[in-house]
Amino acid sequence: MNKQMKTKADVKKILIEPHVQFIADFLIEKKESISVAESVTAGLMQLKLASAENASEFFQGGMTAYNIGQKYRHLKIDPIHAATVNCVSQQIAEQMSLSVCEMFSSQWGIGITGYATPVPQGGFKLFAFYSISYKNRIVSKGKISAAEEKPDIIQALYVSSVFEKLRLCMKQH
């Protein structure tokens, strides 16, 4: 982390903003839309997409769901699997990205779940699983690991990483 970056706002501006503009421009040009289902990032992806210029032309919406009950009810995750992994797995992220597309009628969807603070359920490690779907198909997925840092900085790093992966997917479609 660059020692010059001192605030959460600095991190978000430097790491996230260039991705948001590309995503917005791409989706508007293609006349496509995106929706987001997030947990570990606590609505940061939705905030950044909704803050983009002309957001209503490409951003359908999203939801932040933290617990098994809400993820099952709204995002159709498998509750038995979720209970065994504390709602944090690649499978959960994939179900989130596919379900949010269906819920909001968007072509693109993002699902992300993980840990921004060290907890026993995550082995005191910081990581997130993400999934990007396009037209009902998973086009990118994976695990992002983070070094110990303040939770808000880790959330910004997760968002930046997923938006970067989304950019790569968009360039292929």
Side-chain angles (χ1 to χ4, degrees), residues 116 126 145-150 154 157-158:
L126 305 175
S145 296
E148 190 147 347
E149 183 59 77
K150 292 180 182 179
I154 291 168
L157 292 169
Y158 290 159

PDB file of all heavy atoms in Angstrom, residues 116 126 145-150 154 157-158:
ATOM      1  N   ALA A 116     -13.503  -9.241   5.768  1.00  0.00           N
ATOM      2  CA  ALA A 116     -12.685  -8.032   5.772  1.00  0.00           C
ATOM      3  C   ALA A 116     -12.042  -7.814   7.144  1.00  0.00           C
ATOM      4  O   ALA A 116     -11.265  -6.892   7.317  1.00  0.00           O
ATOM      5  CB  ALA A 116     -13.519  -6.816   5.393  1.00  0.00           C
ATOM      6  N   LEU A 126      -7.945 -13.064   5.657  1.00  0.00           N
ATOM      7  CA  LEU A 126      -8.783 -12.103   4.948  1.00  0.00           C
ATOM      8  C   LEU A 126      -8.844 -12.503   3.479  1.00  0.00           C
ATOM      9  O   LEU A 126      -7.819 -12.551   2.803  1.00  0.00           O
ATOM     10  CB  LEU A 126      -8.209 -10.695   5.099  1.00  0.00           C
ATOM     11  CG  LEU A 126      -8.001 -10.250   6.554  1.00  0.00           C
ATOM     12  CD1 LEU A 126      -7.311  -8.909   6.613  1.00  0.00           C
ATOM     13  CD2 LEU A 126      -9.327 -10.215   7.287  1.00  0.00           C
ATOM     14  N   SER A 145      -7.243 -12.587  -1.945  1.00  0.00           N
ATOM     15  CA  SER A 145      -6.687 -12.561  -0.591  1.00  0.00           C
ATOM     16  C   SER A 145      -6.184 -11.163  -0.278  1.00  0.00           C
ATOM     17  O   SER A 145      -5.787 -10.420  -1.181  1.00  0.00           O
ATOM     18  CB  SER A 145      -5.532 -13.551  -0.475  1.00  0.00           C
ATOM     19  OG  SER A 145      -6.007 -14.861  -0.675  1.00  0.00           O
ATOM     20  N   ALA A 146      -6.208 -10.829   1.004  1.00  0.00           N
ATOM     21  CA  ALA A 146      -5.759  -9.504   1.416  1.00  0.00           C
ATOM     22  C   ALA A 146      -4.835  -9.615   2.614  1.00  0.00           C
ATOM     23  O   ALA A 146      -4.964 -10.529   3.435  1.00  0.00           O
ATOM     24  CB  ALA A 146      -6.959  -8.630   1.774  1.00  0.00           C
ATOM     25  N   ALA A 147      -3.908  -8.675   2.698  1.00  0.00           N
ATOM     26  CA  ALA A 147      -3.053  -8.568   3.876  1.00  0.00           C
ATOM     27  C   ALA A 147      -3.834  -7.809   4.943  1.00  0.00           C
ATOM     28  O   ALA A 147      -4.784  -7.089   4.631  1.00  0.00           O
ATOM     29  CB  ALA A 147      -1.781  -7.806   3.520  1.00  0.00           C
ATOM     30  N   GLU A 148      -3.443  -7.986   6.165  1.00  0.00           N
ATOM     31  CA  GLU A 148      -4.167  -7.303   7.243  1.00  0.00           C
ATOM     32  C   GLU A 148      -4.067  -5.792   7.078  1.00  0.00           C
ATOM     33  O   GLU A 148      -3.006  -5.239   6.847  1.00  0.00           O
ATOM     34  CB  GLU A 148      -3.643  -7.735   8.604  1.00  0.00           C
ATOM     35  CG  GLU A 148      -4.533  -7.225   9.706  1.00  0.00           C
ATOM     36  CD  GLU A 148      -4.613  -8.156  10.885  1.00  0.00           C
ATOM     37  OE1 GLU A 148      -4.182  -9.312  10.791  1.00  0.00           O
ATOM     38  OE2 GLU A 148      -5.121  -7.704  11.906  1.00  0.00           O
ATOM     39  N   GLU A 149      -5.199  -5.172   7.151  1.00  0.00           N
ATOM     40  CA  GLU A 149      -5.338  -3.724   6.964  1.00  0.00           C
ATOM     41  C   GLU A 149      -6.672  -3.355   7.585  1.00  0.00           C
ATOM     42  O   GLU A 149      -7.426  -4.219   8.019  1.00  0.00           O
ATOM     43  CB  GLU A 149      -5.295  -3.420   5.452  1.00  0.00           C
ATOM     44  CG  GLU A 149      -5.356  -1.978   5.056  1.00  0.00           C
ATOM     45  CD  GLU A 149      -4.236  -1.119   5.615  1.00  0.00           C
ATOM     46  OE1 GLU A 149      -3.108  -1.178   5.097  1.00  0.00           O
ATOM     47  OE2 GLU A 149      -4.507  -0.383   6.572  1.00  0.00           O
ATOM     48  N   LYS A 150      -7.003  -2.097   7.607  1.00  0.00           N
ATOM     49  CA  LYS A 150      -8.306  -1.673   8.113  1.00  0.00           C
ATOM     50  C   LYS A 150      -9.397  -2.260   7.221  1.00  0.00           C
ATOM     51  O   LYS A 150      -9.231  -2.327   5.997  1.00  0.00           O
ATOM     52  CB  LYS A 150      -8.408  -0.152   8.112  1.00  0.00           C
ATOM     53  CG  LYS A 150      -7.499   0.518   9.110  1.00  0.00           C
ATOM     54  CD  LYS A 150      -7.664   2.018   9.058  1.00  0.00           C
ATOM     55  CE  LYS A 150      -6.722   2.688  10.023  1.00  0.00           C
ATOM     56  NZ  LYS A 150      -6.869   4.147   9.967  1.00  0.00           N
ATOM     57  N   ILE A 154      -9.611  -2.833   3.017  1.00  0.00           N
ATOM     58  CA  ILE A 154      -9.737  -4.162   2.417  1.00  0.00           C
ATOM     59  C   ILE A 154     -10.962  -4.218   1.512  1.00  0.00           C
ATOM     60  O   ILE A 154     -10.894  -4.741   0.393  1.00  0.00           O
ATOM     61  CB  ILE A 154      -9.797  -5.247   3.513  1.00  0.00           C
ATOM     62  CG1 ILE A 154      -8.434  -5.334   4.198  1.00  0.00           C
ATOM     63  CG2 ILE A 154     -10.206  -6.594   2.935  1.00  0.00           C
ATOM     64  CD1 ILE A 154      -8.417  -6.133   5.462  1.00  0.00           C
ATOM     65  N   LEU A 157     -10.126  -2.569  -1.663  1.00  0.00           N
ATOM     66  CA  LEU A 157      -9.247  -3.412  -2.471  1.00  0.00           C
ATOM     67  C   LEU A 157     -10.033  -4.533  -3.149  1.00  0.00           C
ATOM     68  O   LEU A 157      -9.780  -4.850  -4.317  1.00  0.00           O
ATOM     69  CB  LEU A 157      -8.122  -3.984  -1.617  1.00  0.00           C
ATOM     70  CG  LEU A 157      -7.099  -2.958  -1.117  1.00  0.00           C
ATOM     71  CD1 LEU A 157      -6.181  -3.572  -0.066  1.00  0.00           C
ATOM     72  CD2 LEU A 157      -6.291  -2.391  -2.268  1.00  0.00           C
ATOM     73  N   TYR A 158     -10.975  -5.138  -2.448  1.00  0.00           N
ATOM     74  CA  TYR A 158     -11.820  -6.171  -3.053  1.00  0.00           C
ATOM     75  C   TYR A 158     -12.612  -5.598  -4.225  1.00  0.00           C
ATOM     76  O   TYR A 158     -12.679  -6.204  -5.293  1.00  0.00           O
ATOM     77  CB  TYR A 158     -12.793  -6.760  -2.029  1.00  0.00           C
ATOM     78  CG  TYR A 158     -12.203  -7.632  -0.948  1.00  0.00           C
ATOM     79  CD1 TYR A 158     -12.904  -7.850   0.232  1.00  0.00           C
ATOM     80  CD2 TYR A 158     -10.962  -8.254  -1.084  1.00  0.00           C
ATOM     81  CE1 TYR A 158     -12.407  -8.663   1.236  1.00  0.00           C
ATOM     82  CE2 TYR A 158     -10.448  -9.059  -0.077  1.00  0.00           C
ATOM     83  CZ  TYR A 158     -11.179  -9.262   1.084  1.00  0.00           C
ATOM     84  OH  TYR A 158     -10.682 -10.068   2.083  1.00  0.00           O
TER      85      TYR A 158
END
